[in-house]
Amino acid sequence: MSVARVSAEDFNPNKYVAEGAVMLFWNACVKFYPKEDKFNNWIDKNDFDVVPNSMAGSFARGPDSRVYSVNNSGVRYLLVAEPSGLCSVFVKDVNQDFASQAFSRWQNAFKEKGWVHFDNVETQTKEKGQLTTTHYQYTSSGQEVMTVVVSKAQPGLGSFQLAMSASYEPGVNQ
């Protein structure tokens, strides 16, 4: 992963962590994961550390799950690729506001550049205790093509503070 250079006085570590997580999600799970060969080439090119499923805990949902520890200049994210078409990024500590802003910017960029073909997005947000989950349904020509779920937890409540997952209908973006 690469991030634009900024001067030391402009650098905000909270923004860096949030934007890195969202950038990883949109690239790994939206741009590459629906295309298995491109995803595998991207993984190999970036040389991410593989996390054995025995150490991944509940992040790995099955024996064929692929779990990677992604190091972006000392910040660690967890990338999980499921054979069922589900791809997720988890981050332990993140500024929720910066993450929301970055998510919106990437979502707009993907649509504008045509990297993901969708013509409509429906959003539904639910709050349950200290966990907020937002579901995005992406459709193209009236058919659902992708579901994205963003879960935000309060600090210290669990093993992640931000989780972003994308799942696809078979044949999407092929």
Side-chain angles (χ1 to χ4, degrees):
M1 288 180 25
S2 64
V3 176
R5 294 182 187 261
V6 295
S7 69
E9 58 198 37
D10 293 336
F11 181 75
N12 182 326
N14 293 323
K15 188 174 184 180
Y16 179 82
V17 170
E19 290 184 352
V22 173
M23 179 176 60
L24 174 63
F25 170 73
W26 282 97
N27 278 304
C29 296
V30 177
K31 186 176 181 182
F32 292 116
Y33 193 65
K35 301 168 185 161
E36 188 173 357
D37 289 346
K38 287 187 178 188
F39 180 78
N40 290 335
N41 289 338
W42 182 75
I43 289 289
D44 291 343
K45 178 181 161 191
N46 284 288
D47 195 32
F48 298 137
D49 295 328
V50 175
V51 177
N53 286 0
S54 61
M55 295 178 66
S58 61
F59 293 108
R61 297 173 12 139
D64 294 329
S65 299
R66 296 184 290 164
V67 182
Y68 305 94
S69 176
V70 178
N71 181 349
N72 183 22
S73 300
V75 178
R76 291 250 177 216
Y77 307 101
L78 199 64
L79 170 62
V80 181
E82 304 285 348
S84 64
L86 179 68
C87 179
S88 304
V89 170
F90 298 90
V91 62
K92 178 111 176 109
D93 297 307
V94 70
N95 179 297
Q96 306 281 349
D97 292 333
F98 286 136
S100 293
Q101 292 167 14
F103 185 90
S104 293
R105 278 194 314 274
W106 275 87
Q107 179 176 270
N108 291 335
F110 264 70
K111 183 172 183 178
E112 289 170 8
K113 293 182 180 185
W115 290 331
V116 175
H117 302 288
F118 58 90
D119 51 29
N120 189 41
V121 181
E122 292 180 26
T123 305
Q124 180 181 20
T125 301
K126 295 181 181 179
E127 291 189 39
K128 184 175 182 182
Q130 296 183 344
L131 180 69
T132 301
T133 304
T134 303
H135 294 259
Y136 299 87
Q137 299 290 106
Y138 296 83
T139 58
S140 182
S141 302
Q143 299 294 315
E144 180 181 326
V145 295
M146 179 177 58
T147 300
V148 170
V149 178
V150 178
S151 297
K152 299 175 183 178
Q154 296 300 316
L157 287 183
S159 53
F160 70 87
Q161 194 176 353
L162 175 66
M164 296 169 283
S165 299
S167 60
Y168 302 90
E169 294 298 312
V172 169
N173 298 327
Q174 298 298 326

